[in-house]
Amino acid sequence: MAAQTNSHPTANHYDIVIVGAGPVGLMLSTCLARWGYKIKHIDNRPEPTATGRADGIQPRSLDLLRNMGLKSAIMAHKPARVYEVAFWDPPTGGKGIQRTGTWASCPEFIDARYPFTTLLHQGLIERAFIADLEKNNTKVQRPWTITGFTSDEKADPEYPVSVELSHIDGTFKESVKAKYLFGGEGARSFIRDQLKIGIKHKDPIAYVWGVMDGVVKTDFPDIKMKCTIHSEHGSIMVIPREDNMVRLYIQIASSTDPDFNPRKTATVEEVQESAKRILQPYSIEWERVEWYSVYPIGQGISDKYTLDHRVFLGGDACHTHSPKAGQGMNTAFLDALNLAWKIHAVEGGLASRSILETYEPERKDVAETLLSFDNKYAKLFSQRPPSGNEVAAATAQKATAATEENEFIKTFKESCAFTSGYGVAYKANSLNWSPEHPAQSHVIHPATTKLVPGRLFKNADVTRVVDANVVHLEQEIPLNGAFRLFVFAGKPSVTGQALKDLAANMAKKNSFYSAFTRSDVDKVSHHERHNPHSHFFTICSIFAAPRNQIEISRDLPALLARYKDNVYADDRYDYKQPEAKAAAHAKMGIDEEKGGIVVVRPDGYTGIVVALEEGSATVDALNEYFGSFSAKKLGETQAQL
């Protein structure tokens, strides 16, 4: 999709300068490059990550990578998959360690497409993004660094950010102008320091960790699983990896130690000896060590993510925490995605600049939750091993009233939801409807809906009408920067007039839909599947009927029928909705006869749910919702399409 920012005054003017080519910078760059933006992307390393560093991709992030078309490139490296976590503790009154329980890493009560954590080193993940960037004419400039910047909208409203860049060896320098600057340089962020933005440490206790990737020979039975091991000699976290490797995290110092030194180091041999003691009575030897590091870490969060909504921070520049739950890279991905589509909405003319003000509160709230969770997670399994009954109750899809009262089980469920990524929730604002939202109508948020604004749209299987393929509904619209309008069309015999009224009112000149018609709409190929009318809206229609009873030209008005490749039959069985005739409607809590409309933000989170009614009420409500952050006044009634 081409952005509407193709012309720049000089070659040294950019839409955005991105500093740092780790997960957060690469995700932001990839999104914006695909949408047509001109990017200056630098990194101070001469090459992408060679080995080690972050390695865990959680289930929600795997959904996102598939939606971007990058999952297959990453899975081609045959990463390890973690379905269960094993817990090992000292036996009562004995020596050594024993397994005290195993837990599903993504239990059945979480409706995940990929109920496992994917593990491979950060460099392989970076390369998948870099290859995609190059397809979109964007390259990471290495090894370059930022040496200074200013931001002044009064002096230059269009390109307010001036950035000074330099080759690492100082031989070359460059001055550029940009609309935005993004700092994804990690915990030692130059941009954050220059902005004089402080870091608050949530937990005063700091730790020094040793981490080692290598190939081992061992009789420890769970070496291919993620393990948390506690022994009288210390603690280890075991993480399986690609190419028969295993990662060991070993805590080697804590600020609670009498002689704590945050610069404490340990040799490979010292950490290996520590691991051997902790794993007794089992043995372990290393065939080779691929990567080893010792680093201090504490729980910190940036006071601000931006000062002027022109210069932004993301990833480790904003939040640091332990590696226990594998959240660093995943949180970074979602920081970048959140900012990317909002910049696109502003620069493409859909949204007012006020939408950028939602980036910090949405993502900082998630980081605050992560740090609180990190603390809780660390204590969850170290306090006592769970009983067999608790294991069964916690992993079950439904719990009884008695088990719901168990704090251990409650904490476990919250932890699993959060670590999987499905537990992330954004609070009410202009994008996430609430009773306090400016949009008010009897059709908004029907009482039966199971969707929650600010939470992810639910997974559902449906049958695509044009080719009878069974598909994942939530994956049918790729990450294209557009809002996703899921028209749950109910029964054709019931909703025919409501669908005609929906299309007629969407076609009016200043409806939320028509106000952002593409300037080249008359030249768009009939093969364009997702964005034939607008770069900012993609429509899917789902009927609560068997596929062989649906005729697109008969059952949908022309505007909706234009999206013929995005028309589906809700006729697939779902074991989570065993009694439902239309499982996708039922999962969303939408009336299978009368239908309803779900607006999903470009990043996959529910924005608003609206009933499908005859007349103008449905589109009036959507006009009010989009009007709360639109760059244009919506709601006039002159027909256009």
Side-chain angles (χ1 to χ4, degrees):
M1 179 198 304
Q4 298 176 28
T5 57
N6 294 326
S7 60
H8 301 274
T10 73
N12 279 343
H13 283 71
Y14 294 86
D15 291 309
I16 188 168
V17 174
I18 298 173
V19 182
V24 69
L26 289 171
M27 174 63 81
L28 180 62
S29 195
T30 298
C31 291
L32 293 177
R34 287 181 172 192
W35 303 336
Y37 291 88
K38 185 183 177 185
I39 301 164
K40 168 73 77 171
H41 194 164
I42 68 162
D43 190 89
N44 60 12
R45 299 171 297 165
E47 298 290 340
T49 302
T51 58
R53 300 183 77 168
D55 64 352
I57 302 175
Q58 300 296 349
R60 158 60 184 151
S61 295
L62 212 54
D63 286 344
L64 171 58
L65 292 169
R66 182 185 173 185
N67 202 229
M68 297 177 72
L70 296 177
K71 174 176 170 281
S72 58
I74 289 170
M75 299 305 284
H77 295 289
K78 301 187 184 305
R81 302 183 184 191
V82 167
Y83 286 88
E84 291 189 359
V85 183
F87 301 92
W88 289 73
D89 296 278
T92 304
K95 296 284 188 179
I97 54 174
Q98 67 176 11
R99 189 190 300 115
T100 53
T102 61
W103 303 71
S105 60
C106 188
E108 188 178 303
F109 62 80
I110 298 171
D111 191 8
R113 290 289 181 198
Y114 310 105
F116 52 83
T117 302
T118 304
L119 295 143
L120 75 167
H121 84 71
Q122 181 176 317
L124 296 175
I125 299 166
E126 288 178 6
R127 283 169 171 80
F129 281 94
I130 290 168
D132 193 81
L133 280 173
E134 291 178 352
K135 291 177 186 175
N136 290 286
N137 303 311
T138 301
K139 287 192 175 183
V140 179
Q141 192 172 316
R142 304 172 184 271
W144 279 67
T145 189
I146 182 170
T147 58
F149 66 92
T150 60
S151 179
D152 189 344
E153 279 193 328
K154 290 182 179 178
D156 188 343
E158 188 72 12
Y159 294 88
V161 187
S162 300
V163 188
E164 300 299 322
L165 305 173
S166 172
H167 192 278
I168 285 294
D169 65 12
T171 53
F172 299 99
K173 294 184 178 181
E174 193 173 356
S175 298
V176 301
K177 296 281 288 181
K179 295 179 179 180
Y180 301 95
L181 170 64
F182 181 78
E185 329 106 293
R188 297 183 179 89
S189 169
F190 170 85
I191 293 174
R192 189 191 64 229
D193 288 347
Q194 292 299 300
L195 293 173
K196 296 183 168 49
I197 294 175
I199 293 279
K200 282 194 175 64
H201 293 281
K202 306 290 286 184
D203 185 342
I205 300 175
Y207 302 94
V208 179
W209 288 80
V211 57
M212 184 183 302
D213 291 343
V215 178
V216 302
K217 180 181 179 181
T218 180
D219 58 356
F220 178 65
D222 288 345
I223 199 66
K224 294 288 188 180
M225 294 177 64
K226 180 177 178 179
C227 302
T228 298
I229 304 170
H230 304 288
S231 85
E232 60 180 322
H233 301 293
S235 299
I236 286 180
M237 181 172 280
V238 177
I239 308 286
R241 288 280 303 277
E242 77 281 5
D243 295 333
N244 295 315
M245 288 194 297
V246 64
R247 169 170 288 190
L248 298 182
Y249 282 109
I250 303 172
Q251 186 178 307
I252 61 175
S254 167
S255 56
T256 56
D257 299 338
D259 59 347
F260 175 68
N261 178 359
R263 293 182 176 81
K264 180 179 175 66
T265 60
T267 65
V268 169
E269 292 73 22
E270 287 171 339
V271 172
Q272 289 176 342
E273 286 304 313
S274 178
K276 289 178 180 180
R277 288 192 299 272
I278 293 169
L279 283 171
Q280 292 174 0
Y282 302 100
S283 64
I284 185 169
E285 299 291 341
W286 277 260
E287 293 183 7
R288 67 180 176 89
V289 174
E290 179 173 284
W291 180 69
Y292 171 72
S293 182
V294 173
Y295 59 95
I297 196 160
Q299 292 187 335
I301 188 166
S302 178
D303 292 337
K304 300 285 293 180
Y305 284 26
T306 180
L307 296 181
D308 62 356
H309 305 102
R310 289 289 189 173
V311 181
F312 291 92
L313 304 172
D316 287 352
C318 297
H319 38 75
T320 57
H321 44 87
S322 85
K324 300 185 194 77
Q327 292 298 299
M329 179 163 53
N330 300 274
T331 304
F333 283 158
L334 296 184
D335 283 352
L337 176 59
N338 190 291
L339 182 59
W341 76 260
K342 291 172 182 176
I343 287 177
H344 178 51
V346 170
E347 295 303 320
L350 171 75
S352 68
R353 294 196 60 80
S354 63
I355 199 176
L356 297 173
E357 296 171 12
T358 66
Y359 168 67
E360 179 180 304
E362 285 196 338
R363 295 308 301 162
K364 189 175 182 183
D365 185 61
V366 171
E368 296 269 11
T369 304
L370 169 58
L371 297 193
S372 298
F373 157 79
D374 188 36
N375 223 330
K376 204 172 188 179
Y377 187 83
K379 298 172 183 174
L380 178 58
F381 295 102
S382 62
Q383 293 171 344
R384 62 178 176 86
S387 69
N389 289 338
E390 286 175 329
V391 171
T395 56
Q397 187 174 351
K398 293 183 179 179
T400 65
T403 59
E404 282 290 1
E405 293 174 2
N406 185 312
E407 186 64 25
F408 186 89
I409 293 170
K410 183 180 177 183
T411 302
F412 167 79
K413 288 194 169 188
E414 290 172 351
S415 299
C416 290
F418 195 87
T419 54
S420 70
Y422 291 102
V424 170
Y426 294 137
K427 293 178 180 175
N429 57 28
S430 61
L431 300 165
N432 311 318
W433 187 88
S434 71
E436 291 70 44
H437 195 279
Q440 295 292 319
S441 170
H442 69 279
V443 298
I444 293 177
H445 205 70
T448 59
T449 185
K450 298 175 184 175
L451 294 169
V452 179
R455 286 189 174 271
L456 283 168
F457 182 63
K458 293 179 182 288
N459 298 337
D461 287 346
V462 291
T463 305
R464 193 161 52 215
V465 170
V466 293
D467 58 10
N469 278 221
V470 177
V471 297
H472 301 331
L473 180 61
E474 75 285 353
Q475 287 287 345
E476 280 292 273
I477 301 172
L479 181 63
N480 58 8
F483 278 83
R484 305 157 184 210
L485 271 62
F486 291 95
V487 179
F488 286 86
K491 289 189 175 180
S493 60
V494 175
T495 60
Q497 187 59 48
L499 291 170
K500 289 177 183 177
D501 290 345
L502 172 69
N505 284 288
M506 285 173 63
K508 290 176 180 175
K509 182 178 180 181
N510 275 351
S511 76
F512 72 93
Y513 180 78
S514 295
F516 302 102
T517 301
R518 293 173 59 155
S519 59
D520 61 347
V521 67
D522 295 331
K523 301 175 184 177
V524 175
S525 166
H526 68 276
H527 290 297
E528 171 57 51
R529 175 179 175 183
H530 300 296
N531 298 104
H533 296 144
S534 170
H535 286 312
F536 293 105
F537 299 100
T538 298
I539 302 173
C540 289
S541 299
I542 310 100
F543 284 103
R547 175 186 169 273
N548 62 9
Q549 294 180 15
I550 300 169
E551 288 290 344
I552 294 174
S553 60
R554 178 195 68 199
D555 298 329
L556 283 174
L559 185 149
L560 301 179
R562 173 61 180 83
Y563 298 82
K564 60 184 183 301
D565 293 315
N566 292 354
V567 180
Y568 309 92
D570 187 1
D571 59 0
R572 308 306 303 176
Y573 175 78
D574 190 319
Y575 76 97
K576 293 182 182 293
Q577 300 289 335
E579 306 300 322
K581 294 179 182 178
H585 282 66
K587 287 182 87 168
M588 313 299 166
I590 291 175
D591 190 299
E592 68 178 54
E593 291 198 353
K594 298 178 181 178
I597 295 177
V598 182
V599 175
V600 176
R601 301 170 10 155
D603 54 1
Y605 290 83
T606 302
I608 191 171
V609 182
V610 180
L612 178 61
E613 285 192 1
E614 295 179 12
S616 66
T618 298
V619 173
D620 289 343
L622 293 174
N623 285 340
E624 287 191 21
Y625 167 72
F626 285 106
S628 69
F629 55 84
S630 171
K632 298 180 180 180
K633 185 177 180 180
L634 305 180
E636 291 183 13
T637 57
Q638 183 181 341
Q640 176 176 303
L641 293 179

